[in-house]
Protein backbone atom coordinates (compact mmCIF):
# COMPACT_ATOMS: atom_id res chain seq x y z
CA UNK A 1 0.00 0.00 0.00
CA UNK A 2 1.42 3.31 -1.09
CA UNK A 3 0.71 6.96 -0.37
CA UNK A 4 0.19 8.77 -3.64
CA UNK A 5 -0.30 12.48 -4.32
CA UNK A 6 -2.25 13.45 -7.42
CA UNK A 7 -2.53 16.97 -8.78
CA UNK A 8 -5.14 17.97 -11.35
CA UNK A 9 -4.77 21.24 -13.26
CA UNK A 10 -7.48 23.65 -14.37
CA UNK A 11 -8.52 21.92 -17.59
CA UNK A 12 -8.73 18.59 -15.74
CA UNK A 13 -11.33 20.02 -13.33
CA UNK A 14 -12.90 22.50 -15.78
CA UNK A 15 -16.50 21.27 -15.42
CA UNK A 16 -18.75 19.14 -13.21
CA UNK A 17 -18.30 16.23 -15.62
CA UNK A 18 -14.53 16.57 -15.48
CA UNK A 19 -14.51 16.66 -11.68
CA UNK A 20 -16.61 13.48 -11.71
CA UNK A 21 -14.00 11.96 -14.03
CA UNK A 22 -11.24 12.90 -11.55
CA UNK A 23 -13.28 11.32 -8.73
CA UNK A 24 -13.44 8.09 -10.76
CA UNK A 25 -9.68 8.10 -11.34
CA UNK A 26 -9.06 8.61 -7.65
CA UNK A 27 -11.57 5.90 -6.75
CA UNK A 28 -9.65 3.45 -8.93
CA UNK A 29 -6.40 4.12 -7.07
CA UNK A 30 -8.23 3.63 -3.80
CA UNK A 31 -9.64 0.31 -5.04
CA UNK A 32 -6.07 -0.79 -5.69
CA UNK A 33 -5.50 -0.26 -1.97
CA UNK A 34 -3.57 3.02 -1.94
CA UNK A 35 -3.97 6.17 0.09
CA UNK A 36 -4.49 9.27 -2.00
CA UNK A 37 -4.15 13.01 -1.48
CA UNK A 38 -5.57 15.02 -4.35
CA UNK A 39 -4.44 18.60 -4.95
CA UNK A 40 -6.60 20.58 -7.34
CA UNK A 41 -6.35 23.84 -9.27
CA UNK A 42 -9.28 26.15 -9.89
CA UNK A 43 -11.51 25.37 -12.89
CA UNK A 44 -9.78 26.55 -16.07
CA UNK A 45 -10.23 30.28 -16.62
CA UNK A 46 -11.43 30.85 -13.06
CA UNK A 47 -8.23 32.36 -11.64
CA UNK A 48 -7.91 34.66 -14.67
CA UNK A 49 -11.49 35.79 -14.12
CA UNK A 50 -10.73 36.65 -10.49
CA UNK A 51 -7.53 38.47 -11.48
CA UNK A 52 -9.54 40.44 -14.06
CA UNK A 53 -12.15 41.49 -11.50
CA UNK A 54 -9.49 42.69 -9.07
CA UNK A 55 -7.94 44.84 -11.77
CA UNK A 56 -11.33 46.25 -12.76
CA UNK A 57 -11.65 47.36 -9.18
CA UNK A 58 -8.23 48.99 -8.92
CA UNK A 59 -5.16 49.43 -11.08
CA UNK A 60 -2.91 48.06 -8.34
CA UNK A 61 -5.15 46.08 -5.97
CA UNK A 62 -4.14 45.73 -2.34
CA UNK A 63 -2.01 42.58 -2.33
CA UNK A 64 -3.44 40.99 0.79
CA UNK A 65 -7.01 41.26 -0.50
CA UNK A 66 -5.92 40.23 -3.99
CA UNK A 67 -4.48 36.94 -2.69
CA UNK A 68 -7.54 36.23 -0.56
CA UNK A 69 -9.64 36.75 -3.70
CA UNK A 70 -7.66 34.79 -6.28
CA UNK A 71 -7.25 31.81 -3.94
CA UNK A 72 -11.00 31.19 -3.93
CA UNK A 73 -11.17 29.30 -7.25
CA UNK A 74 -9.46 26.31 -5.66
CA UNK A 75 -11.95 26.16 -2.79
CA UNK A 76 -14.68 25.38 -5.30
CA UNK A 77 -12.87 22.44 -6.90
CA UNK A 78 -11.48 20.84 -3.74
CA UNK A 79 -14.90 20.84 -2.09
CA UNK A 80 -16.77 19.69 -5.21
CA UNK A 81 -14.33 16.81 -5.56
CA UNK A 82 -14.83 15.80 -1.92
CA UNK A 83 -18.60 15.94 -2.46
CA UNK A 84 -18.26 13.76 -5.55
CA UNK A 85 -16.16 11.16 -3.73
CA UNK A 86 -18.42 11.07 -0.68
CA UNK A 87 -21.46 10.59 -2.92
CA UNK A 88 -19.70 7.56 -4.43
CA UNK A 89 -19.38 6.08 -0.93
CA UNK A 90 -15.67 6.95 -0.66
CA UNK A 91 -15.00 8.92 2.54
CA UNK A 92 -13.24 12.18 1.61
CA UNK A 93 -12.45 15.42 3.35
CA UNK A 94 -11.40 18.74 1.76
CA UNK A 95 -8.83 21.14 3.14
CA UNK A 96 -7.93 24.73 2.39
CA UNK A 97 -4.33 25.86 2.76
CA UNK A 98 -4.89 27.45 6.18
CA UNK A 99 -6.62 24.33 7.53
CA UNK A 100 -3.61 22.09 7.02
CA UNK A 101 -1.25 24.90 7.86
CA UNK A 102 0.56 25.30 4.60
CA UNK A 103 2.64 28.01 6.24
CA UNK A 104 4.27 30.47 3.85
CA UNK A 105 6.16 33.74 4.10
CA UNK A 106 4.15 36.93 3.57
CA UNK A 107 5.23 37.66 -0.01
CA UNK A 108 1.72 38.00 -1.41
CA UNK A 109 1.20 36.68 -4.98
CA UNK A 110 4.44 34.67 -4.82
CA UNK A 111 4.65 33.30 -1.31
CA UNK A 112 7.05 30.48 -0.49
CA UNK A 113 6.01 27.43 1.50
CA UNK A 114 7.95 27.13 4.75
CA UNK A 115 6.31 24.13 6.37
CA UNK A 116 3.23 21.94 6.33
CA UNK A 117 1.39 20.26 9.20
CA UNK A 118 1.73 16.62 8.11
CA UNK A 119 0.01 15.32 11.25
CA UNK A 120 -3.40 16.75 10.43
CA UNK A 121 -3.44 15.03 7.06
CA UNK A 122 -1.98 11.77 8.36
CA UNK A 123 -4.78 11.56 10.93
CA UNK A 124 -7.42 11.62 8.19
CA UNK A 125 -5.49 9.16 6.08
CA UNK A 126 -5.23 6.75 8.98
CA UNK A 127 -8.99 7.10 9.38
CA UNK A 128 -9.27 5.84 5.80
CA UNK A 129 -10.16 9.09 4.10
CA UNK A 130 -9.16 10.54 0.77
CA UNK A 131 -7.94 14.10 1.18
CA UNK A 132 -8.67 16.83 -1.34
CA UNK A 133 -6.58 19.99 -1.04
CA UNK A 134 -6.92 23.44 -2.59
CA UNK A 135 -3.70 24.07 -4.46
CA UNK A 136 -1.97 27.43 -4.95
CA UNK A 137 -2.70 28.78 -1.46
CA UNK A 138 -1.20 28.99 1.98
CA UNK A 139 -1.32 31.11 5.09
CA UNK A 140 1.35 33.27 6.71
CA UNK A 141 2.25 33.40 10.41
CA UNK A 142 -0.28 36.22 10.94
CA UNK A 143 -3.09 34.20 9.42
CA UNK A 144 -3.24 36.08 6.11
CA UNK A 145 -4.13 34.00 3.05
CA UNK A 146 -1.29 33.91 0.53
CA UNK A 147 -0.89 32.50 -2.98
CA UNK A 148 2.13 30.74 -4.44
CA UNK A 149 2.41 32.36 -7.88
CA UNK A 150 0.63 31.32 -11.07
CA UNK A 151 0.78 27.59 -11.60
CA UNK A 152 1.37 27.20 -7.86
CA UNK A 153 -0.81 24.12 -7.39
CA UNK A 154 2.07 22.02 -8.74
CA UNK A 155 4.14 23.28 -5.83
CA UNK A 156 1.40 22.52 -3.31
CA UNK A 157 1.33 18.93 -4.56
CA UNK A 158 5.08 18.36 -4.49
CA UNK A 159 5.47 20.09 -1.12
CA UNK A 160 2.77 17.87 0.39
CA UNK A 161 4.39 14.79 -1.17
CA UNK A 162 7.70 15.84 0.40
CA UNK A 163 6.17 16.63 3.82
CA UNK A 164 4.29 13.33 3.98
CA UNK A 165 7.06 11.31 2.36
CA UNK A 166 4.66 10.10 -0.32
CA UNK A 167 5.72 7.27 -2.58
CA UNK A 168 4.83 9.16 -5.73
CA UNK A 169 3.56 12.52 -6.91
CA UNK A 170 1.69 12.56 -10.22
CA UNK A 171 0.92 15.87 -11.94
CA UNK A 172 -2.11 15.28 -14.17
CA UNK A 173 -2.54 17.87 -16.90
CA UNK A 174 -3.77 18.46 -20.45
CA UNK A 175 -0.64 17.10 -22.19
CA UNK A 176 0.70 13.58 -21.73
CA UNK A 177 4.14 14.53 -20.46
CA UNK A 178 7.06 16.89 -20.78
CA UNK A 179 8.06 17.51 -24.40
CA UNK A 180 11.13 18.94 -26.11
CA UNK A 181 9.06 22.12 -26.38
CA UNK A 182 5.43 23.17 -25.93
CA UNK A 183 3.51 20.61 -28.06
CA UNK A 184 0.68 23.10 -28.41
CA UNK A 185 2.78 25.42 -30.54
CA UNK A 186 5.18 22.94 -32.09
CA UNK A 187 3.42 19.85 -33.45
CA UNK A 188 6.82 18.33 -34.09
CA UNK A 189 7.70 18.27 -30.37
CA UNK A 190 8.82 14.93 -28.95
CA UNK A 191 7.66 13.48 -25.63
CA UNK A 192 10.44 12.65 -23.18
CA UNK A 193 10.22 9.44 -21.13
CA UNK A 194 12.55 10.95 -18.54
CA UNK A 195 13.98 14.36 -17.76
CA UNK A 196 16.47 15.27 -15.02
CA UNK A 197 15.48 17.64 -12.20
CA UNK A 198 18.18 19.98 -13.41
CA UNK A 199 16.92 20.20 -16.98
CA UNK A 200 13.31 20.45 -15.85
CA UNK A 201 14.29 23.24 -13.48
CA UNK A 202 15.90 25.13 -16.32
CA UNK A 203 12.95 24.55 -18.69
CA UNK A 204 10.49 25.64 -16.01
CA UNK A 205 12.46 28.73 -15.09
CA UNK A 206 12.59 29.69 -18.76
CA UNK A 207 8.83 29.55 -19.10
CA UNK A 208 7.78 25.93 -19.76
CA UNK A 209 4.67 26.14 -17.63
CA UNK A 210 3.98 22.41 -17.54
CA UNK A 211 5.53 22.46 -14.04
CA UNK A 212 5.92 25.50 -11.81
CA UNK A 213 9.60 26.05 -11.10
CA UNK A 214 9.25 25.82 -7.33
CA UNK A 215 7.61 22.41 -7.61
CA UNK A 216 10.74 21.14 -9.35
CA UNK A 217 12.96 22.76 -6.70
CA UNK A 218 11.02 20.92 -3.98
CA UNK A 219 11.12 17.66 -5.88
CA UNK A 220 14.87 17.90 -6.33
CA UNK A 221 15.58 18.95 -2.77
CA UNK A 222 13.47 16.21 -1.19
CA UNK A 223 13.92 13.62 -3.91
CA UNK A 224 10.21 13.34 -4.63
CA UNK A 225 9.48 10.84 -7.41
CA UNK A 226 7.60 13.10 -9.81
CA UNK A 227 5.65 12.16 -12.92
CA UNK A 228 3.74 14.29 -15.42
CA UNK A 229 0.78 12.52 -17.01
CA UNK A 230 -2.34 13.27 -18.99
CA UNK A 231 -5.71 13.25 -17.23
CA UNK A 232 -7.34 12.11 -20.43
CA UNK A 233 -4.89 9.75 -22.16
CA UNK A 234 -3.55 6.59 -20.54
CA UNK A 235 0.25 6.32 -20.77
CA UNK A 236 3.39 6.49 -18.64
CA UNK A 237 3.94 10.23 -19.13
CA UNK A 238 7.32 11.67 -18.18
CA UNK A 239 9.38 10.84 -15.10
CA UNK A 240 11.29 13.75 -13.57
CA UNK A 241 14.28 12.25 -11.82
CA UNK A 242 17.93 12.42 -10.75
CA UNK A 243 20.69 12.61 -13.30
CA UNK A 244 21.83 9.27 -14.59
CA UNK A 245 25.19 8.38 -16.05
CA UNK A 246 24.67 9.02 -19.70
CA UNK A 247 27.12 8.20 -22.44
CA UNK A 248 26.68 11.63 -23.87
CA UNK A 249 24.13 14.22 -22.86
CA UNK A 250 22.35 15.85 -25.79
CA UNK A 251 23.70 19.25 -26.70
CA UNK A 252 20.26 20.85 -26.71
CA UNK A 253 17.41 18.97 -25.09
CA UNK A 254 14.61 21.51 -25.18
CA UNK A 255 13.28 24.89 -26.24
CA UNK A 256 11.28 27.11 -23.90
CA UNK A 257 9.54 30.44 -24.22
CA UNK A 258 8.18 32.99 -21.80
CA UNK A 259 5.72 35.73 -22.72
CA UNK A 260 5.26 36.82 -19.13
CA UNK A 261 8.09 39.32 -18.87
CA UNK A 262 8.32 42.99 -19.70
CA UNK A 263 11.36 45.13 -20.45
CA UNK A 264 12.31 48.40 -18.78
CA UNK A 265 15.11 50.65 -20.07
CA UNK A 266 16.72 53.53 -18.23
CA UNK A 267 18.34 55.86 -20.74
CA UNK A 268 21.15 58.27 -20.01
CA UNK A 269 22.11 56.84 -16.65
CA UNK A 270 25.23 58.43 -15.08
CA UNK A 271 27.97 55.80 -15.32
CA UNK A 272 29.46 55.76 -11.84
CA UNK A 273 29.69 53.45 -8.83
CA UNK A 274 26.55 53.01 -6.74
CA UNK A 275 24.03 53.55 -9.52
CA UNK A 276 23.10 49.91 -10.11
CA UNK A 277 22.41 49.36 -6.43
CA UNK A 278 20.18 52.48 -6.38
CA UNK A 279 18.18 51.02 -9.25
CA UNK A 280 17.90 47.41 -8.12
CA UNK A 281 17.71 47.62 -4.31
CA UNK A 282 14.22 49.20 -4.26
CA UNK A 283 13.01 46.55 -6.72
CA UNK A 284 14.39 43.77 -4.53
CA UNK A 285 12.81 45.35 -1.47
CA UNK A 286 9.48 45.32 -3.29
CA UNK A 287 9.98 41.59 -3.92
CA UNK A 288 10.27 41.99 -7.67
CA UNK A 289 12.40 39.39 -9.42
CA UNK A 290 14.57 41.05 -12.00
CA UNK A 291 15.63 38.59 -14.68
CA UNK A 292 17.92 39.68 -17.51
CA UNK A 293 20.06 42.79 -17.10
CA UNK A 294 22.02 44.43 -19.90
CA UNK A 295 24.14 47.55 -19.53
CA UNK A 296 25.59 49.26 -22.59
CA UNK A 297 29.12 50.53 -22.90
CA UNK A 298 29.07 54.10 -21.68
CA UNK A 299 29.48 57.11 -23.90
CA UNK A 300 30.43 60.46 -22.36
CA UNK A 301 29.85 59.24 -18.84
CA UNK A 302 26.31 58.01 -19.50
CA UNK A 303 24.92 54.60 -20.32
CA UNK A 304 21.64 52.77 -20.95
CA UNK A 305 20.49 49.96 -18.73
CA UNK A 306 17.80 47.46 -19.69
CA UNK A 307 16.27 44.67 -17.62
CA UNK A 308 13.23 42.43 -17.53
CA UNK A 309 10.65 41.86 -14.79
CA UNK A 310 7.56 39.61 -14.57
CA UNK A 311 4.56 41.22 -16.31
CA UNK A 312 2.56 40.73 -13.12
CA UNK A 313 4.96 43.13 -11.36
CA UNK A 314 5.42 45.46 -14.32
CA UNK A 315 3.34 48.43 -13.12
CA UNK A 316 4.79 48.25 -9.64
CA UNK A 317 8.32 48.03 -11.08
CA UNK A 318 7.77 50.93 -13.47
CA UNK A 319 6.54 53.22 -10.67
CA UNK A 320 9.62 52.38 -8.61
CA UNK A 321 12.02 52.83 -11.53
CA UNK A 322 10.50 56.18 -12.49
CA UNK A 323 11.14 57.40 -8.97
CA UNK A 324 14.71 56.13 -9.02
CA UNK A 325 15.29 57.72 -12.42
CA UNK A 326 14.51 61.16 -10.97
CA UNK A 327 16.77 60.44 -8.06
CA UNK A 328 19.79 59.44 -10.13
CA UNK A 329 19.04 61.95 -12.89
CA UNK A 330 18.59 59.43 -15.66
CA UNK A 331 17.40 60.99 -18.91
CA UNK A 332 14.41 58.78 -19.65
CA UNK A 333 12.55 55.55 -18.83
CA UNK A 334 11.02 53.46 -21.60
CA UNK A 335 9.14 50.19 -21.29
CA UNK A 336 8.01 47.40 -23.59
CA UNK A 337 5.48 44.71 -22.68
CA UNK A 338 5.43 43.05 -26.10
CA UNK A 339 8.48 40.91 -25.65
CA UNK A 340 9.16 37.21 -25.33
CA UNK A 341 12.15 35.27 -24.14
CA UNK A 342 13.05 32.18 -26.15
CA UNK A 343 15.65 29.79 -24.78
CA UNK A 344 17.47 26.63 -25.73
CA UNK A 345 18.43 24.30 -22.87
CA UNK A 346 20.78 21.35 -22.57
CA UNK A 347 23.27 20.00 -20.05
CA UNK A 348 25.46 18.95 -22.99
CA UNK A 349 26.24 22.63 -23.62
CA UNK A 350 28.70 22.56 -20.74
CA UNK A 351 31.26 20.84 -22.87
CA UNK A 352 30.43 22.21 -26.30
CA UNK A 353 30.62 25.61 -27.90
CA UNK A 354 28.68 27.08 -30.78
CA UNK A 355 25.14 26.76 -29.48
CA UNK A 356 24.66 30.50 -29.07
CA UNK A 357 26.09 31.26 -32.51
CA UNK A 358 23.80 28.69 -34.10
CA UNK A 359 20.81 30.09 -32.25
CA UNK A 360 21.53 33.63 -33.50
CA UNK A 361 21.96 32.31 -37.02
CA UNK A 362 18.64 30.43 -36.95
CA UNK A 363 16.79 33.50 -35.67
CA UNK A 364 18.46 35.86 -38.13
CA UNK A 365 17.51 33.65 -41.09
CA UNK A 366 13.88 34.32 -40.16
CA UNK A 367 14.55 38.04 -39.84
CA UNK A 368 13.94 37.96 -36.08
CA UNK A 369 15.74 40.74 -34.25
CA UNK A 370 17.41 39.91 -30.93
CA UNK A 371 16.97 42.59 -28.25
CA UNK A 372 18.76 40.99 -25.32
CA UNK A 373 20.89 37.90 -24.79
CA UNK A 374 21.80 35.94 -21.71
CA UNK A 375 23.69 32.71 -21.33
CA UNK A 376 24.52 30.25 -18.58
CA UNK A 377 26.31 26.92 -18.52
CA UNK A 378 23.30 25.06 -19.81
CA UNK A 379 21.11 27.58 -21.64
CA UNK A 380 21.04 30.49 -24.06
CA UNK A 381 18.13 32.97 -23.97
CA UNK A 382 17.18 35.73 -26.38
CA UNK A 383 14.56 38.43 -25.91
CA UNK A 384 12.60 39.07 -29.11
CA UNK A 385 9.40 40.78 -30.24
CA UNK A 386 6.58 38.64 -28.83
CA UNK A 387 4.83 38.40 -32.20
CA UNK A 388 7.62 36.08 -33.40
CA UNK A 389 7.48 33.71 -30.42
CA UNK A 390 5.86 30.71 -32.10
CA UNK A 391 8.00 31.06 -35.22
CA UNK A 392 11.18 31.31 -33.17
CA UNK A 393 10.31 28.25 -31.10
CA UNK A 394 9.62 26.12 -34.18
CA UNK A 395 12.74 27.29 -35.99
CA UNK A 396 14.99 26.61 -32.99
CA UNK A 397 13.34 23.28 -32.24
CA UNK A 398 13.84 22.04 -35.79
CA UNK A 399 17.19 23.76 -36.24
CA UNK A 400 18.66 21.90 -33.27
CA UNK A 401 17.24 18.62 -34.56
CA UNK A 402 14.79 18.04 -31.71
CA UNK A 403 11.84 17.04 -33.88
CA UNK A 404 10.33 13.61 -34.31
P1 LIG B 1 -2.43 22.79 -15.73
O1 LIG B 1 -3.61 23.70 -15.84
O2 LIG B 1 -2.78 21.34 -15.80
O3 LIG B 1 -1.54 23.11 -14.57
P2 LIG B 1 -0.65 24.21 -17.51
O4 LIG B 1 -1.35 24.96 -18.59
O5 LIG B 1 -0.16 24.97 -16.34
O6 LIG B 1 -1.60 23.01 -17.07
O7 LIG B 1 0.59 23.39 -18.11
C1 LIG B 1 0.41 22.53 -19.21
C2 LIG B 1 0.77 23.26 -20.50
O8 LIG B 1 2.18 23.53 -20.50
C3 LIG B 1 0.56 22.50 -21.77
O9 LIG B 1 -0.77 22.60 -22.21
C4 LIG B 1 1.55 23.14 -22.72
O10 LIG B 1 0.94 24.09 -23.56
C5 LIG B 1 2.54 23.87 -21.82
N1 LIG B 1 3.94 23.53 -22.05
C6 LIG B 1 4.95 24.42 -22.22
N2 LIG B 1 6.12 23.82 -22.44
C7 LIG B 1 5.87 22.49 -22.40
C8 LIG B 1 6.71 21.33 -22.54
N3 LIG B 1 8.03 21.43 -22.77
N4 LIG B 1 6.14 20.11 -22.44
C9 LIG B 1 4.81 20.00 -22.21
N5 LIG B 1 3.97 21.05 -22.07
C10 LIG B 1 4.48 22.29 -22.15
N1 LIG C 1 -5.24 28.39 -10.35
C1 LIG C 1 -3.90 28.89 -10.26
C2 LIG C 1 -3.47 29.51 -11.59
O1 LIG C 1 -4.25 29.54 -12.52
C3 LIG C 1 -2.91 27.86 -9.79
C4 LIG C 1 -2.73 26.67 -10.70
O2 LIG C 1 -3.53 26.43 -11.61
O3 LIG C 1 -1.77 25.94 -10.48
O4 LIG C 1 -2.38 29.98 -11.71
MG1 LIG D 1 -0.09 24.62 -14.30
Amino acid sequence: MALIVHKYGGTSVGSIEKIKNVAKKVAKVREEGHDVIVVVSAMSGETNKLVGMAHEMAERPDEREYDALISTGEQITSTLLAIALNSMGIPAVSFQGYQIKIITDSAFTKARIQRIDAERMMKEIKAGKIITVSGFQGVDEEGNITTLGRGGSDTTAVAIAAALKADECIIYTDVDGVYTTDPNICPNARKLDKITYEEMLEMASLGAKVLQIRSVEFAQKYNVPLRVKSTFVENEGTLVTKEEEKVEAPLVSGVAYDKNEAKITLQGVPDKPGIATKIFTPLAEANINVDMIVQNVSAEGHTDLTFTVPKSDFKKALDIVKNTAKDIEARNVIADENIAKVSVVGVGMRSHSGVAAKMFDLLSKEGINIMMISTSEIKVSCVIDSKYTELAVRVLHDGFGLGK
Side-chain angles (χ1 to χ4, degrees):
M1 183 158 139
L3 172 60
I4 301 171
V5 176
H6 281 194
K7 179 260 172 176
Y8 292 90
T11 39
S12 308
V13 292
S15 65
I16 295 292
E17 277 320 306
K18 284 182 171 165
I19 295 174
K20 285 185 181 167
N21 173 50
V22 168
K24 281 189 204 136
K25 283 177 81 82
V26 173
K28 213 169 137 222
V29 182
R30 158 85 344 153
E31 272 164 27
E32 288 162 7
H34 304 304
D35 290 321
V36 197
I37 297 175
V38 194
V39 175
V40 285
S41 292
M43 289 175 158
S44 50
E46 195 60 31
T47 311
N48 283 345
K49 207 163 91 191
L50 295 164
V51 166
M53 284 199 281
H55 285 111
E56 270 181 53
M57 206 53 87
E59 197 186 14
R60 270 178 56 191
D62 178 89
E63 291 188 332
R64 178 185 184 276
E65 306 312 322
Y66 179 84
D67 266 13
L69 172 69
I70 67 168
S71 67
T72 57
E74 272 73 8
Q75 184 158 357
I76 296 173
T77 44
S78 61
T79 47
L80 280 175
L81 179 60
I83 291 171
L85 287 163
N86 280 318
S87 76
M88 291 160 72
I90 301 168
V93 55
S94 73
F95 285 116
Q96 307 310 307
Y98 61 85
Q99 292 177 301
I100 42 169
K101 306 217 163 35
I102 299 187
I103 304 289
T104 70
D105 59 20
S106 304
F108 294 115
T109 75
K110 48 180 159 262
R112 280 183 178 271
I113 297 178
Q114 291 173 335
R115 56 180 195 280
I116 294 176
D117 180 5
E119 249 172 59
R120 183 74 181 87
M121 278 184 277
M122 285 317 286
K123 199 176 122 203
E124 300 294 346
I125 286 179
K126 284 195 185 117
K129 291 190 186 154
I130 302 269
I131 298 180
T132 71
V133 179
S134 288
F136 180 51
Q137 52 171 269
V139 64
D140 72 4
E141 297 285 1
E142 275 81 55
N144 301 305
I145 292 171
T146 55
T147 63
L148 310 177
R150 299 305 304 267
S153 300
D154 299 333
T155 303
T156 308
V158 180
I160 288 177
L164 274 69
K165 302 193 174 56
D167 298 286
E168 197 175 17
C169 179
I170 308 177
I171 306 291
Y172 282 101
T173 183
D174 58 358
V175 287
D176 64 349
V178 180
Y179 281 70
T180 45
T181 193
D182 185 345
N184 286 324
I185 68 165
C186 184
N188 218 4
R190 202 162 34 81
K191 182 159 88 75
L192 306 167
D193 294 333
K194 272 187 189 177
I195 183 167
T196 63
Y197 290 126
E198 194 185 14
E199 273 171 327
M200 192 62 239
L201 211 53
E202 202 67 30
M203 290 280 276
S205 72
L206 295 169
K209 68 170 184 164
V210 59
L211 286 175
Q212 198 202 32
I213 174 165
R214 284 185 192 159
S215 71
V216 190
E217 283 169 2
F218 262 104
Q220 183 172 36
K221 186 163 172 199
Y222 297 101
N223 239 316
V224 178
L226 184 62
R227 199 176 274 282
V228 177
K229 280 187 163 195
S230 160
T231 308
F232 311 105
V233 184
E234 211 36 76
N235 69 34
E236 287 304 296
T238 300
L239 181 68
V240 189
T241 180
K242 276 191 285 208
E243 191 139 11
E244 285 176 9
E245 290 294 323
K246 278 188 204 150
V247 188
E248 195 179 358
L251 193 55
V252 171
S253 52
V255 176
Y257 66 94
D258 191 347
K259 290 187 182 179
N260 291 313
E261 288 188 8
K263 179 164 79 83
I264 298 178
T265 302
L266 279 135
Q267 293 176 314
V269 178
D271 193 13
K272 57 183 188 202
I275 291 292
T277 173
K278 280 203 177 129
I279 295 169
F280 294 111
T281 303
L283 292 169
E285 277 166 358
N287 242 316
I288 296 170
N289 288 325
V290 173
D291 181 20
M292 286 161 105
I293 303 175
V294 173
Q295 183 177 329
N296 291 350
V297 180
S298 83
E300 288 156 17
H302 285 79
T303 184
D304 293 347
L305 200 133
T306 303
F307 56 91
T308 61
V309 294
K311 261 187 196 159
S312 52
D313 283 329
F314 175 61
K315 290 205 175 85
K316 191 161 129 187
L318 198 56
D319 284 351
I320 293 173
V321 171
K322 281 184 173 159
N323 267 330
T324 315
K326 274 189 221 136
D327 217 35
I328 61 172
E329 295 177 346
R331 183 160 35 87
N332 196 14
V333 178
I334 51 175
D336 185 357
E337 280 193 276
N338 297 317
I339 59 158
K341 181 172 72 177
V342 288
S343 310
V344 298
V345 181
V347 288
M349 268 182 224
R350 278 205 186 103
S351 50
H352 286 78
S353 57
V355 172
K358 182 163 178 183
M359 180 176 188
F360 307 152
D361 184 48
L362 288 164
L363 293 176
S364 80
K365 282 197 175 115
E366 297 298 324
I368 300 171
N369 184 42
I370 299 169
M371 303 173 183
M372 295 169 88
I373 298 166
S374 109
T375 64
S376 81
E377 264 196 317
I378 64 166
K379 64 114 199 224
V380 185
S381 302
C382 294
V383 170
I384 60 170
D385 187 329
S386 68
K387 70 177 182 233
Y388 296 123
T389 314
E390 284 77 11
L391 174 65
V393 168
R394 283 187 215 117
V395 161
L396 295 172
H397 187 263
D398 292 347
F400 281 102
L402 294 174
K404 285 184 219 168

